[in-house]
Amino acid sequence: LALAGVNSRFELWHGMDRVGEFQLALFGAQHISNAAAVAAFLHHNGFEMKAAAAAMASFRGVGRRQQLLIRHGDVRVFDDYGHHPREIEVTLAALRGLRVRRVLVAFHPHRYTRTRHLLKDFATCFAGADQVWITDVYSAGEKEIPEINGARLASAVAEQGTLAAFASTLSRLREQVRMAAKPGDVIVFFGAGDITQVAHQVA
């Protein structure tokens, strides 16, 4: 595996036979694992590997999955739909592979019930971040659950040793992230709700 910017490269082998070399305009172990599985399937079913490699090299991913919105000098802003602890962990690990100065995270919790059920997992999944801001829960039509909110989640994250703060509104979140960003930082906005609007505004 080799990383160059936000690109990845891998080789696929079948036993002692080299199937081919593949390059992705994506990064992170999860993307490489998915691409390798696709290449193995195509190889098994007799597809031409040079054509498969060319198709993979031209694939730019899908919207809101490690989507690079802008690179402004040495600051990069990503938008990501991830709203489950495992998704967040995997994406942060991938961003760490870019050897950046700091990883700053803004998170919009999605649904009161999910936040309640996965509170302990959310408390630890941001360990790969240098600083985290959490805004209030995006209800997605659910009724509010007492004591389940962004402030409680931010406290739970901070208790695990990650620098975390609560931003009561999306506009406040936007301003706090803007003020904290420094050259060399990567900023990633996580959430299934309208936090994507803030990501575009910061970008």
Side-chain angles (χ1 to χ4, degrees):
L1 165 65
L3 291 174
V6 293
N7 298 315
S8 303
R9 177 173 49 83
F10 69 94
E11 291 183 349
L12 184 67
W13 291 74
H14 182 220
M16 299 298 293
D17 298 324
R18 183 176 181 272
V19 173
E21 182 175 330
F22 301 85
Q23 183 168 325
L24 305 174
L26 304 169
F27 62 94
Q30 192 65 38
H31 282 304
I32 293 171
S33 176
N34 291 341
V38 170
F41 172 84
L42 294 174
H43 176 260
H44 178 75
N45 286 279
F47 286 85
E48 208 279 322
M49 287 296 97
K50 287 186 178 180
M56 286 187 185
S58 66
F59 180 61
R60 293 295 181 267
V62 297
R64 303 215 62 216
R65 286 297 189 189
Q66 296 178 5
Q67 182 182 359
L68 179 61
L69 296 182
I70 194 169
R71 184 169 187 166
H72 183 69
D74 289 332
V75 177
R76 282 175 281 187
V77 179
F78 288 87
D79 187 20
D80 197 285
Y81 183 78
H83 52 279
H84 185 279
R86 180 58 181 154
E87 295 171 333
I88 293 168
E89 285 178 341
V90 168
T91 299
L92 290 179
L95 289 169
R96 279 294 178 194
L98 299 179
R99 299 183 183 91
V100 298
R101 178 178 179 272
R102 294 187 305 169
V103 176
L104 309 182
V105 172
F107 178 54
H108 198 177
H110 186 252
R111 293 185 178 273
Y112 291 102
T113 51
R114 179 181 287 114
T115 305
R116 179 182 61 189
H117 293 321
L118 298 176
L119 186 63
K120 290 183 179 180
D121 296 312
F122 278 123
T124 58
C125 74
F126 295 101
D130 294 287
Q131 189 168 353
V132 180
W133 293 270
I134 297 174
T135 192
D136 226 340
V137 177
Y138 181 75
S139 69
E142 288 187 337
K143 292 183 179 179
E144 184 176 348
I145 298 175
E147 299 183 5
I148 299 299
N149 50 54
R152 181 178 177 185
L153 180 52
S155 295
V157 173
E159 288 171 3
Q160 297 301 313
T162 300
L163 183 61
F166 174 61
S168 58
T169 65
L170 290 177
S171 60
R172 183 167 295 179
L173 176 72
R174 179 183 63 242
E175 295 308 314
Q176 289 183 359
V177 172
R178 277 178 172 171
M179 288 189 295
K182 296 179 180 179
D185 289 345
V186 156
I187 306 167
V188 55
F189 289 82
F190 283 113
D194 48 11
I195 192 171
T196 184
Q197 299 171 12
V198 182
H200 283 78
Q201 290 166 358
V202 168

